[in-house]
Amino acid sequence: MKIEQIYTGCLAQGAYYIESKGEVAIIDPLREVQNYIDKANSDNAKIKYIFETHFHADFVSGHVTLAEKTGAKIVYGPTAKTNFDALIAEDNQVFQLGDITITALHTPGHTMESTCYLLKDKEGKDHAIFSGDTLFLGDVGRPDLAQKGDITEADLAGFLYDSLRNKVMTLADDVIVYPAHGAGSACGKNLSKETVGTIGNQKETNYALRADMSKEEFIKEVTDGLLPPPAYFPLNVKLNKEGYKDIDDVIKTSTKPLSAKEFEFIANETGAIILDVRHQTEFIKGFIPQSIFIGIAGGFAPWVGALIKDINQPILLVSPEGKEEEVITRLSRVGFDNVLGYLEGSFETWQKSGKEIDTLESISAETLANKIENNQPVFDVRKPGEYASEHIEVAESTPLDFLNDHISEFPKKEKFYIHCAGGYRSVIAASILKARGFHNVVDVAGGYGAIKKTEIQRTAAVCPSTLK
């Protein structure tokens, strides 16, 4: 028996490759599937099943493409409805894989079709549970992403409590937990940085599995402090339910080099967003006017999904040379398939053509100290929890996720200063503000990490886990 966790850091997502006696199961595959096929080929094995723990909201799964390429059966849990051929498992249905078995455990709560998969070894002993978004390490899946009809998030949280108590917490302490996500995912609020744990460890450390917790307490704690989900979540669910284009076709169509003249013409004719994915230090020095910066060196795909509301939005890329296909692949993982091409030779091509460029003013944290003494406004674009735990005393909270809700708060003429934790999100925010005509925005390089090394007055630090 072989179990391999294939973890994709930029999505904080874990897919799983399981092999036994020449038969393979893939759980929650990413959209690009060749890696799984290559693994099976190297094991001289055949992919038999593709298990989906639920309709994912934060990425486009590879289930449809993988089934088309391998003939493997897609398996969902009870109540799932799809536009493609799939096996809708019954609760406790057993699937044979080589000399091991995988049992579907219907665990509604995160979504109604959510299902965990329990792997038993060849002796029939419970070995591991692939817990999807039902159980994370340190948290459970948020119950507010798929509300429909009369079902409220409190109803879903109640279902989740029952699922955990009756299907998961009854397992032995040594059963390994393989979750679908780790820290950084928007599918929970307190996920651990660890990506593999045990049932016993989670009973001791996960607030949601506290032994003396009532259902009412669980519902209150799980639903408290949830931020609105990113806009692309329901659109990714729709793709995962209805199907989508093969990612190889998307890459072939989108990887189109454009001269500066062609790039400018298409931008003007289509209204495409110019997405600059270079490092923020390069972007600051010079970029195409109206560009939006979201660098591939940060939380790229989730920020694209959070800030570009429509996955069908036409996009033109300014990418580091040689990274174009990787960028297009990462965009497609969250459903953004409408890339019209990229600037061949990257930003240098634009500069050499003599076309207009823009720059972003950026200052050090030490310089910011002087500006604060002169009462110039400062805005903090970190998440509300980060701000609540510690911030510059005079800074206003304008989280990047909800920047549109704060546009009216930014000065139109007076210079103002924005920072995040390390200098990535603040440049994203600055690029959006400049595209909207706020050319008086100034970035603080190094963010709060650099600010903490200065004498700038800050609030007392509060441990984030104690905040409500």
Side-chain angles (χ1 to χ4, degrees):
M1 176 177 67
K2 176 193 290 186
I3 301 174
E4 184 176 349
Q5 182 184 63
I6 304 168
Y7 200 77
T8 303
C10 65
L11 289 175
Q13 189 267 350
Y16 295 92
Y17 174 94
I18 306 163
E19 188 274 338
S20 176
K21 296 289 186 182
E23 294 185 331
V24 169
I26 306 294
I27 298 181
D28 293 337
L30 281 187
R31 189 170 178 181
E32 67 272 28
V33 300
Q34 191 58 45
N35 183 39
Y36 313 119
I37 296 171
D38 292 344
K39 284 181 183 297
N41 289 340
S42 68
D43 286 337
N44 194 27
K46 179 177 174 58
I47 299 177
K48 185 177 182 181
Y49 294 117
I50 305 158
F51 292 103
E52 291 285 290
T53 55
H54 63 297
F55 291 117
H56 306 283
D58 56 326
F59 69 98
V60 180
S61 178
H63 55 312
V64 174
T65 303
L66 188 57
E68 289 174 351
K69 289 181 181 292
T70 65
K73 199 68 175 174
I74 301 170
V75 181
Y76 274 96
T79 76
K81 294 179 181 178
T82 68
N83 284 13
F84 45 81
D85 183 42
L87 192 163
I88 308 303
E90 297 178 1
D91 191 19
N92 291 311
Q93 185 167 344
V94 178
F95 297 85
Q96 191 76 37
L97 189 78
D99 59 5
I100 65 173
T101 63
I102 295 175
T103 303
L105 301 178
H106 188 210
T107 50
H110 174 63
T111 63
M112 288 307 292
E113 80 284 356
S114 281
T115 297
C116 297
Y117 295 100
L118 177 64
L119 186 154
K120 294 175 184 280
D121 63 21
K122 62 182 180 181
E123 280 79 34
K125 181 181 182 299
D126 294 348
H127 178 78
I129 185 168
F130 300 88
S131 58
D133 286 20
T134 296
L135 175 64
F136 299 127
L137 304 184
D139 204 351
V140 292
R142 54 190 296 173
D144 64 324
L145 299 181
Q147 300 168 66
K148 283 190 173 179
D150 296 329
I151 299 178
T152 68
E153 66 180 37
D155 293 334
L156 286 169
F159 289 134
L160 185 57
Y161 178 88
D162 292 335
S163 294
L164 289 164
R165 259 59 186 178
N166 299 329
K167 299 285 185 67
V168 177
M169 293 175 69
T170 53
L171 297 172
D173 285 353
D174 64 350
V175 171
I176 300 168
V177 177
Y178 290 114
H181 292 293
S185 167
C187 293
K189 58 184 180 181
N190 190 38
L191 280 70
S192 167
K193 291 180 180 177
E194 304 298 324
T195 61
V196 180
T198 64
I199 291 291
N201 175 265
Q202 286 308 294
K203 286 179 181 175
E204 292 178 1
T205 61
N206 190 323
Y207 77 97
L209 302 192
R210 202 170 66 236
D212 61 352
M213 195 177 213
S214 68
K215 182 183 284 192
E216 290 70 25
E217 289 172 329
F218 178 88
I219 292 170
K220 183 176 185 304
E221 292 193 32
V222 166
T223 57
D224 186 39
L226 289 175
L227 297 174
Y232 75 104
F233 272 26
L235 303 174
N236 275 201
V237 170
K238 188 172 187 292
L239 289 173
N240 285 324
K241 283 183 176 179
E242 298 179 358
Y244 46 79
K245 289 192 289 187
D246 188 318
I247 194 170
D248 291 339
D249 294 335
V250 174
I251 292 171
K252 186 177 180 181
T253 302
S254 299
T255 313
K256 182 179 180 183
L258 301 169
S259 67
K261 184 177 180 181
E262 292 170 324
F263 193 91
E264 184 178 45
F265 177 79
I266 294 174
N268 291 334
E269 289 296 310
T270 65
I273 284 179
I274 299 174
L275 183 62
D276 194 321
V277 305
R278 297 174 295 152
H279 194 275
Q280 59 265 30
T281 56
E282 295 298 316
F283 181 85
I284 286 169
K285 295 174 188 172
F287 55 89
I288 299 172
Q290 305 290 314
S291 297
I292 300 301
F293 163 80
I294 305 178
I296 56 169
F300 175 65
W303 279 120
V304 170
L307 298 171
I308 301 176
K309 306 299 183 187
D310 182 2
I311 61 173
N312 297 311
Q313 167 67 46
I315 293 172
L316 286 164
L317 287 177
V318 179
S319 167
E321 283 193 270
K323 292 284 189 179
E324 296 87 1
E325 185 172 321
E326 176 189 336
V327 174
I328 291 164
T329 299
R330 291 170 65 176
L331 287 170
S332 290
R333 285 177 183 165
V334 287
F336 288 81
D337 293 347
N338 199 10
V339 174
L340 304 181
Y342 66 90
L343 182 60
E344 187 171 26
S346 194
F347 181 66
E348 286 69 26
T349 295
W350 189 267
Q351 280 184 304
K352 290 176 183 174
S353 72
K355 296 183 182 298
E356 181 184 359
I357 70 167
D358 201 351
T359 59
L360 174 63
E361 185 177 354
S362 183
I363 63 170
S364 68
E366 290 79 10
T367 304
L368 178 67
N370 298 328
K371 305 298 180 184
I372 289 177
E373 287 182 3
N374 294 324
N375 297 318
Q376 292 187 268
V378 181
F379 296 90
D380 184 337
V381 300
R382 296 177 299 162
K383 291 183 180 296
E386 294 174 278
Y387 179 86
S389 67
E390 190 178 0
H391 60 266
I392 295 175
E393 285 188 345
V394 299
E396 299 291 332
S397 177
T398 55
L400 176 60
D401 310 60
F402 315 109
L403 198 68
N404 286 336
D405 299 334
H406 296 280
I407 292 294
S408 63
E409 299 168 26
F410 297 106
K412 293 182 178 176
K413 295 181 180 179
E414 180 186 10
K415 273 194 176 182
F416 63 93
Y417 303 85
I418 61 173
H419 76 84
C420 59
Y424 176 76
R425 285 174 286 177
S426 60
V427 177
I428 296 176
S431 73
I432 294 171
L433 290 168
K434 283 187 75 81
R436 297 188 175 198
F438 290 89
H439 295 287
N440 46 334
V441 59
V442 180
D443 170 64
V444 180
Y448 202 75
I451 289 166
K452 290 176 74 171
K453 297 175 183 175
T454 71
E455 299 299 318
I456 293 174
Q457 293 298 309
R458 310 187 307 275
T459 60
V462 179
C463 179
S465 63
T466 66
L467 294 170
K468 292 290 185 183

